[in-house]
């Protein structure tokens, strides 16, 4: 099993993004996803900028995948999606079925991201016939579910990746809750996400962490940490353990995760993996 670094889900300034990926290039992480997956209004980096970063990372020895939006809302966004699919150099991570269809029409290989609803082996097998090389398990599914998928056909006809560390992408909406919290319309949001580089924490009335608002995306308040499951994943046949970056420190976490459990567990969750409520911190049965 290897480590992958998922696409950056947050809105960072261009210089910070460049600095982050320059450090990724010097790391031991073999597989890197990059691209805007949340909101097309985040225009700090253009497609050409992401392509240049991808080329730089490839030159440093990384396998690079270009990630696409999880929610397409306008024809202009589909046009941008086609640029990704037609880039001619890198595989894409399809985060919605529109991207799957675009890759299928061109007979191009692709990765299915965690926001595509893959809930059974028959669906995965059909996607594999259309060109899917690897899929990232939807975050709400469990170790038991994944075991059944991996055991359904040997050898497994596609690679398997698990979202193992980071804030979970729970939902995407046509509305922007971050802009609304600031009293702004989505069409004139002033890119307020820049002020919240790890999203905006929402709490209950008794000050308990509830959710994390990230533009049109809703995330878990706590990060998932499945680092204690690494050995079990290896035995199951998982190919990649994904770290979803939320700071520059995510690079170090990704490098260490296969050799030792990672971080403070006080705000970590793993409930979905154990067929429980997602926000729970559960022990192995």
């Amino acid at each position: 099993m290897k480590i992958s670094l998922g696409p950056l889900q947050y809105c960072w300034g261009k210089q910070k993004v460049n600095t982050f990926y320059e450090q990724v290039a010097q790391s031991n992480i073999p597989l890197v996803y990059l691209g805007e997956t949340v909101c097309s209004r985040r225009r700090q980096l253009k497609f050409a900028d992401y392509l240049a970063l991808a080329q730089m990372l490839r030159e440093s020895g990384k396998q690079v995948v270009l990630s696409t939006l999880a929610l397409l809302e306008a024809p202009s966004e589909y046009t941008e999606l086609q640029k990704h699919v037609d880039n001619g150099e890198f595989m894409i991570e399809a985060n919605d079925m529109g991207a799957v269809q675009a890759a299928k029409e061109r007979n191009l290989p692709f990765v299915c991201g965690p926001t595509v609803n893959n809930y059974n082996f028959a669906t995965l097998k059909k996607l594999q016939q259309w060109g899917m090389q690897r899929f990232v398990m939807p975050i709400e599914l469990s170790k038991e579910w994944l075991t059944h998928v991996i055991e359904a056909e040997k050898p497994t006809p596609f690679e398997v990746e698990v979202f193992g560390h980071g804030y979970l992408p729970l939902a995407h909406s046509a509305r922007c809750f971050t802009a609304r919290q600031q009293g702004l319309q989505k069409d004139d949001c002033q890119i307020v996400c820049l002020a919240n580089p790890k999203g905006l924490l929402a709490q209950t009335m008794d000050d308990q962490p509830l959710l994390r608002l990230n533009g049109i995306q809703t995330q878990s308040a706590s990060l998932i940490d499945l680092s204690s499951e690494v050995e079990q994943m290896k035995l199951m046949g998982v190919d990649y353990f994904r770290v979803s970056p939320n700071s520059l420190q995510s690079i170090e976490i990704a490098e260490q995760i296969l050799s030792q459990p990672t971080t403070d567990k006080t705000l970590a969750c793993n409930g979905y993996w154990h067929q429980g409520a997602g926000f729970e911190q559960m022990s192995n049965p």
Side-chain angles (χ1 to χ4, degrees):
M1 187 171 69
K2 299 178 181 179
I3 283 288
S4 69
L5 190 69
L8 181 63
Q9 300 189 80
Y10 306 101
C11 188
W12 291 357
K14 183 175 181 178
Q15 184 55 54
K16 184 175 181 179
V17 173
N18 286 337
T19 298
F20 178 76
Y21 285 111
E22 286 166 3
Q23 293 185 21
V24 171
Q26 302 303 315
S27 74
N28 295 322
I29 301 168
L31 173 60
V32 181
Y33 296 81
L34 75 163
E36 179 56 53
T37 64
V38 176
C39 181
S40 64
R41 294 182 181 277
R42 298 174 176 180
R43 302 189 180 99
Q44 281 62 47
L45 280 80
K46 311 296 188 198
F47 173 71
D49 297 317
Y50 283 118
L51 195 58
L53 286 172
Q55 291 163 345
M56 180 271 293
L57 289 165
R58 181 179 58 191
E59 290 172 2
S60 71
K62 313 301 180 191
Q63 179 187 354
V64 181
V65 178
L66 296 179
S67 298
T68 67
L69 284 173
L71 180 63
L72 296 175
E73 300 183 69
S76 60
E77 294 174 351
Y78 187 72
T79 299
E80 191 69 16
L81 166 67
Q82 290 178 311
K83 290 183 185 177
H84 285 69
V85 178
D86 293 330
N87 75 85
E89 298 183 62
F90 302 98
M91 191 184 301
I92 67 159
E93 177 187 50
N95 284 307
D96 87 312
M97 288 303 293
V100 169
Q101 179 64 23
K104 176 179 176 289
E105 289 173 351
R106 294 160 173 80
N107 294 314
L108 293 173
F110 60 91
V111 177
C112 246
T115 53
V116 177
N117 295 332
N118 290 315
Y119 293 147
N120 56 64
F121 182 78
T123 299
L124 291 165
K125 185 68 173 178
K126 175 60 68 175
L127 289 166
Q128 185 260 334
Q129 293 169 0
W130 290 348
M132 184 186 77
Q133 307 295 298
R134 176 167 60 248
F135 91 106
V136 187
M137 184 178 78
I139 53 95
E140 68 270 28
L141 298 181
S142 68
K143 171 174 60 178
E144 181 177 350
W145 179 90
L146 185 58
T147 298
H148 289 314
V149 165
I150 293 174
E151 294 296 327
E153 181 177 325
K154 291 291 187 178
T156 308
F158 41 75
E159 290 185 324
V160 177
E161 186 169 342
V162 172
F163 191 119
H165 191 280
Y167 293 101
L168 295 172
L170 300 175
H172 294 80
S173 171
R175 297 180 181 273
C176 180
F177 301 111
T178 305
R180 185 174 182 179
Q181 191 269 343
Q182 295 292 323
L184 297 169
Q185 297 292 323
K186 181 181 177 183
D187 290 343
D188 185 28
C189 67
Q190 301 175 29
I191 319 297
V192 291
C193 291
L194 279 168
N196 301 287
K198 289 178 68 172
L200 183 65
L201 184 64
Q203 297 176 298
T204 64
M205 293 184 68
D206 55 351
D207 297 326
Q208 296 300 307
L210 179 63
L211 296 168
R212 191 172 295 272
L213 303 181
N214 178 36
I216 68 169
Q217 183 191 65
T218 302
Q219 297 181 331
S220 58
S222 303
L223 60 78
I224 188 173
D225 184 1
L226 298 180
S227 60
S228 63
E229 302 291 323
V230 163
E231 294 306 317
Q232 179 64 41
M233 289 184 191
K234 290 178 181 177
L235 292 174
M236 290 169 59
V238 173
D239 298 285
Y240 288 96
F241 183 109
R242 174 176 290 201
V243 173
S244 181
N246 58 73
S247 70
L248 296 177
Q249 286 69 47
S250 296
I251 301 170
E252 181 180 356
I253 289 172
E255 290 187 305
Q256 293 178 349
I257 214 156
L258 291 184
S259 59
Q260 61 187 47
T262 54
T263 55
D264 178 12
K265 303 289 184 179
T266 55
L267 286 176
C269 59
N270 64 6
Y272 285 138
W273 182 252
H274 295 291
Q275 293 186 297
F279 63 83
E280 293 181 343
Q281 175 64 41
M282 302 175 67
S283 300
N284 283 316

